[in-house]
Amino acid sequence: QVQLVESGGGSVQAGGSLRLSCAASGNTYTIGCMGWFRQAPGKERERVASIYLGSLSTYYADSVKGRFSISHDSAKNTVYLLMNALNVEDTAMYYCAADPRYCGIRADYLYRGQGTQVTVSS
């Protein structure tokens, strides 16, 4: 089993930045991919970014390319999401996810955290 705990959410004005963290514990050696999803009220869950832990290949939603950056610290078993130039459309609950193999856009990663709220005001 793997446990994921997110932190770093909060409220920020448009144009600001936040960095989300997701600490993994348990059988972390089984994780092949980690990602961030978000879900706003009334909207479907969306894959924001993901990273293969072996190759460090990264993937981003078109809506965040050039503004968000995902990274992984293997020593801390932690994945980060640096979010710059935030806008009100980025307001959502952000979830960390992990999977042994899958790194795609579907939300059915094997493990998921509880989420951290990001609110961007104009």
Side-chain angles (χ1 to χ4, degrees):
Q1 288 293 321
V2 170
Q3 294 77 43
L4 303 172
V5 178
E6 303 99 331
S7 60
S11 297
V12 64
Q13 287 193 326
S17 299
L18 282 175
R19 189 179 78 158
L20 306 183
S21 300
C22 173
S25 61
N27 296 332
T28 58
Y29 65 92
T30 65
I31 300 174
C33 176
M34 296 186 74
W36 288 95
F37 289 77
R38 67 185 181 185
Q39 188 166 20
K43 294 187 177 181
E44 293 187 354
R45 188 162 298 183
E46 172 190 28
R47 196 271 303 263
V48 176
S50 54
I51 182 169
Y52 270 113
L53 301 192
S55 66
L56 298 183
S57 296
T58 56
Y59 306 89
Y60 296 94
D62 288 343
S63 58
V64 306
K65 281 180 181 176
R67 300 189 298 123
F68 290 13
S69 177
I70 188 170
S71 60
H72 179 251
D73 185 331
S74 58
K76 297 181 178 180
N77 290 315
T78 297
V79 67
Y80 302 97
L81 184 68
L82 176 61
M83 305 184 295
N84 295 319
L86 285 161
N87 57 59
V88 293
E89 288 75 30
D90 295 317
T91 295
M93 183 69 78
Y94 284 71
Y95 298 91
C96 176
D99 194 274
R101 296 184 182 87
Y102 183 66
C103 214
I105 64 173
R106 298 194 316 267
D108 52 355
Y109 286 42
L110 186 58
Y111 306 107
R112 194 184 79 185
Q114 293 298 309
T116 185
Q117 177 68 36
V118 172
T119 302
V120 185
S121 58
S122 59

